[in-house]
Each structure stands twice: as structure tokens, then as C-alpha cells.
Amino acid sequence: MPMPSSAWLLLAVLLQPGVAGPAVTDEVIAARKWTTWAGPGGKTAEAGPAEQKPVVNGGDVIFFRAYHGKHLDVQNNKIRARFKQQGARQAFSVDKRSAGPIRPGDRIFVTGSNGMRLEVNGEEVSAVSEMRGPRQEFVIERMSGGTDPIAVGDTIFLQAHTGKHIDVVGDVVKARFARQGFGYHALVVEKPSR
């Protein structure tokens, strides 16, 4: 079906050099909140772009980018790092037992797109439980240290109850080593961009 001439005219006006889109205001951000995977009672995710909301707070939706540029994702309760995109399967919600921003040293829970929390059993990392117990709890550490809240662009490590850190080798995600460092253990925090 051909596009109506009025649509072509609107498109031509919008594509003119110097014509900017609408300003992003608090009202626009409020209108762009969405309900995620509808865990118990559904959850409202912040749709504010990383440029406006760089600090990570409990309940925020974030992405974890591994050393090779691919993001952690959930499919069939398995955690992997397969794609260089910020899609629904790559979205994770983070929370903790207390209110406020997420800081280095906090014990956090990470919920995958399937509504289940990440957990470590031995070396295996999966998303199979709604529980908030020791197996689902991670200590978040920032490579640069400090006590400021975790923010977009920070390189972090997630330490499991076993004392081992989540690592990514290829597309395989496990928790095998107690040490942390650049490369396999490092994850970069990202939020949805505009």
C-alpha cells in the first residue's frame, strides 16, 4: 500500500536539516514507562535514558556488557552472552533488601527477563527461582572502587555466595574463579539509550 501524500510531507518536514524532535521532559519520560515481564504484580521499569538517569537504583532495568561487546541474556532459564544488542532477553532488573541506589559492596538480586532471579549452583549460573536467598544474592564490586553509587559505564564484578565471580568465556556464563580482574569477569553496566 503506498504511503499517503500527507505522510510524505510530514516525513520531508521532519527530515529537514536543523529540525529537532520533541524535547525529552519529565512528562515524556513518565509517559514512556512500561510494564516488564509482569512478575508478581508486574513491575514498572524506568524508561529514562542513560544520559538522564546514570545512577543505578533498586528496580532499574540494566544491561551487562561482557568483554567481547555481547550482553548477558536469558533464554530457557540459561544465562549466556550471545548478542550485541539491548533487547528484552538482555534486560535485567536489579534490587536489594534496602532502598536507595546500588553501591559497591551491596548485596543485590538480579532478575532476568523470564521473571526469575539469577542464582549460582556450583559453577552454573541460571535464572530458575523467584526466591531471594543466598544462592540468588550477589555482592556487586566496582573495578575503580569507591563508595559512590554504581552508574552507567561502570565496570563491575558480581561475586556469588560461593566467593566466586561471574565470568564470561565466549557465550558461556559461569561462576568459576574467586579472583576478579579485567576480561572474563568484568561487566559494563548499561541502561537503555534514547
Side-chain angles (χ1 to χ4, degrees):
M1 172 186 284
M3 195 169 2
S5 60
S6 59
W8 282 109
L9 178 61
L10 177 62
L11 186 61
V13 168
L14 291 176
L15 292 178
Q16 285 181 327
V19 174
V24 179
T25 64
D26 289 337
E27 291 80 25
V28 170
I29 291 172
R32 291 182 180 167
K33 287 188 177 184
W34 69 93
T35 301
T36 62
W37 50 87
K43 293 188 178 191
T44 301
E46 280 292 329
E51 297 84 14
Q52 290 188 349
K53 300 194 180 276
V55 170
V56 177
N57 290 292
D60 280 0
V61 172
I62 63 172
F63 302 93
F64 297 109
R65 182 170 37 90
Y67 69 95
H68 51 30
K70 296 179 181 176
H71 294 85
L72 299 191
D73 67 84
V74 179
Q75 184 178 22
N76 299 326
N77 299 335
K78 287 188 75 166
I79 309 301
R80 293 181 283 196
R82 301 176 296 164
F83 306 106
K84 292 183 178 184
Q85 65 184 30
Q86 293 181 350
R89 289 185 181 157
Q90 291 80 28
F92 292 90
S93 173
V94 292
D95 66 288
K96 61 182 185 172
R97 295 184 192 275
S98 59
I102 306 292
R103 296 180 181 276
D106 281 350
R107 295 181 176 277
I108 65 168
F109 299 95
V110 180
T111 305
S113 58
N114 63 351
M116 302 294 172
R117 290 194 174 81
L118 269 61
E119 69 177 50
V120 173
N121 290 304
E123 294 181 349
E124 298 300 315
V125 181
S126 57
V128 295
S129 175
E130 294 180 359
M131 294 181 60
R132 289 171 58 108
R135 290 183 181 195
Q136 295 82 28
E137 197 169 50
F138 295 90
V139 175
I140 189 166
E141 302 167 346
R142 181 173 36 219
M143 186 168 66
S144 62
T147 59
D148 291 338
I150 300 294
V152 170
D154 282 350
T155 300
I156 58 108
F157 308 97
L158 294 175
Q159 183 184 41
H161 67 97
T162 59
K164 298 179 179 179
H165 293 83
I166 287 184
D167 64 88
V168 179
V169 177
D171 70 349
V172 177
V173 178
K174 295 203 179 248
R176 296 178 281 199
F177 306 104
R179 69 183 185 281
Q180 56 164 283
F182 290 106
Y184 301 134
H185 302 102
L187 300 169
V188 177
V189 174
E190 297 179 347
K191 281 189 175 183
S193 53
R194 274 197 247 219

